[in-house]
Amino acid sequence: MRKRMMTLSLLICVSFALSACGKASKQEIIESEYYQKLQDQNEKLTQDLKKSRAREDSLDKKIKEIHEYTGDQKLASYKKEVADSTISKTDFVRIQKGKSFRSFAVTNEPVCSYVKNIVKNAYRIIGLTVTDLRENYSGSIYSYALIDEDNTTYEFKVYGSSYIVFDSIPENVYCFDNAGVIGDGLIDAENEKIYASSIDRMKDAALVVTDQDLKFNDTAIKTANLLEKAKKTKEKQDVSKWTEYRFYTQGTVTKLSLSDSKELCITDKTGSQEFYTVSEKTFSKIKKLLK
């Protein structure tokens, strides 16, 4: 019995010693052969991962350079084709949340020429991606389609006021200052603004369009300011042979018709007409602005 108790006591002491004294210190673990092998493997994996990422970055860079180069080559060809074409029609569409709606088409030569000029003079932007545009301009996108006399179509999207992505060159971002002005003028706004008068609406026009010329908001403002000096008359006349200027304000058109004298007519978006007279000096200034 005594012997058995001594054996049990010895086992308890050994177990205690192993649990207390056998616990390895942090330094002993670090210096162990097994830990060093793990460290070496970890270092090797880390270096392999860095090399793999470097290869991926290099490949991504090369792919990007290829896209940029081939994109510029495509655009150069695109510009030549457009320059040599007669654009007979241009379609405009507003895109919101990926859906196309509120479209407008024109055959007006000055408008088609302006959009043709966008293609001819667009230049590539560095450091801006198509993803950036989609994230920042999701509610302000226009799709432009130029159609030439042979029904060849040239298409691109305008983000914000100036950024362009050609449908045939989806990897690159290009720019043309004020590219979005056509859509701003011709396509209906999501929420129509209320104006106190037709002249106030004309002040906000993005485009002033005739069959010979195209002007922008600065001309619209100056013309509308001069029209505020006009005196309304009750006499109605046939304006079919007068010179007509169309002021486009977010899809609504206000027409200004000028006679050969000092008489003029404003036709609002509903077709209602109001006739005015102005001084010879004011009339001359208006004609000069719109010439």
Side-chain angles (χ1 to χ4, degrees):
M1 181 69 179
R2 184 178 178 185
K3 186 176 180 180
R4 288 177 63 189
M5 289 295 294
M6 288 178 65
T7 302
L8 181 59
S9 298
L10 180 60
L11 287 171
I12 292 171
C13 290
V14 170
S15 298
F16 179 80
L18 286 172
S19 61
C21 302
K23 185 176 182 181
S25 67
K26 181 179 179 180
Q27 187 62 33
E28 287 173 333
I29 291 172
I30 291 173
E31 292 175 355
S32 71
E33 184 179 350
Y34 179 67
Y35 182 83
Q36 290 300 319
K37 285 181 179 180
L38 290 178
Q39 281 284 76
D40 291 343
Q41 290 176 8
N42 183 63
E43 182 65 27
K44 184 177 182 303
L45 289 171
T46 300
Q47 292 302 320
D48 288 345
L49 183 60
K50 286 181 179 179
K51 290 177 182 178
S52 177
R53 286 176 177 169
R55 284 194 296 270
E56 288 178 5
D57 290 343
S58 177
L59 182 60
D60 287 343
K61 184 178 179 181
K62 288 178 181 177
I63 291 172
K64 184 179 179 182
E65 288 173 351
I66 290 170
H67 282 163
E68 290 174 349
Y69 175 75
T70 56
D72 287 346
Q73 292 296 102
K74 285 180 183 178
L75 184 59
S77 174
Y78 212 35
K79 288 183 176 186
K80 186 177 185 306
E81 288 177 24
V82 171
D84 294 339
S85 297
T86 299
I87 303 301
S88 57
K89 180 182 176 183
T90 306
D91 291 331
F92 307 95
V93 179
R94 185 191 295 276
I95 300 173
Q96 287 179 300
K97 297 180 180 179
K99 295 182 180 179
S100 301
F101 59 102
R102 291 187 174 89
S103 61
F104 196 94
V106 297
T107 56
N108 180 277
E109 186 176 336
V111 176
C112 290
S113 295
Y114 185 85
V115 182
K116 181 177 177 177
N117 197 45
I118 293 174
V119 177
K120 288 168 58 180
N121 293 285
Y123 56 92
R124 183 157 53 85
I125 291 291
I126 306 297
L128 193 64
T129 67
V130 179
T131 301
D132 295 332
L133 296 180
R134 288 170 180 162
E135 290 176 352
N136 296 316
Y137 297 97
S138 58
S140 181
I141 305 171
Y142 296 119
S143 177
Y144 290 5
L146 289 79
I147 304 167
D148 72 9
E149 69 277 17
D150 297 322
N151 284 326
T152 302
T153 303
Y154 308 92
E155 298 179 85
F156 59 91
K157 291 179 178 59
V158 178
Y159 293 78
S161 64
S162 304
Y163 297 117
I164 298 167
V165 177
F166 291 91
D167 287 18
S168 64
I169 318 170
E171 303 89 358
N172 294 352
V173 176
Y174 298 88
C175 184
F176 181 89
D177 188 38
N178 217 21
V181 68
I182 302 294
D184 290 342
L186 299 181
I187 301 176
D188 293 349
E190 185 176 7
N191 298 303
E192 186 176 340
K193 186 176 176 180
I194 304 300
Y195 296 92
S197 68
S198 295
I199 293 177
D200 285 333
R201 185 183 295 277
M202 293 167 74
K203 283 183 183 180
D204 220 11
L207 301 173
V208 181
V209 178
T210 71
D211 293 334
Q212 290 80 38
D213 207 356
L214 175 70
K215 297 182 183 295
F216 304 100
N217 182 248
D218 57 338
T219 298
I221 292 172
K222 291 173 183 176
T223 303
N225 286 338
L226 289 170
L227 290 173
E228 289 181 336
K229 301 175 182 179
K231 293 181 180 179
K232 192 178 292 188
T233 65
K234 293 182 179 180
E235 183 183 356
K236 295 187 179 296
Q237 300 186 57
D238 180 10
V239 301
S240 60
K241 294 183 179 180
W242 293 13
T243 305
E244 182 182 270
Y245 302 89
R246 299 179 292 278
F247 289 67
Y248 283 95
T249 309
Q250 296 185 322
T252 61
V253 60
T254 307
K255 298 176 183 178
L256 173 66
S257 301
L258 303 181
S259 69
D260 292 332
S261 57
K262 299 177 293 182
E263 299 160 314
L264 53 89
C265 173
I266 296 176
T267 305
D268 70 13
K269 63 175 186 173
T270 66
S272 177
Q273 293 182 327
E274 292 183 339
F275 290 83
Y276 300 84
T277 59
V278 291
S279 69
E280 188 171 335
K281 183 178 179 180
T282 300
F283 191 77
S284 177
K285 286 181 178 179
I286 292 173
K287 288 187 72 173
K288 186 176 180 180
L289 281 170
L290 298 174
K291 185 177 179 181

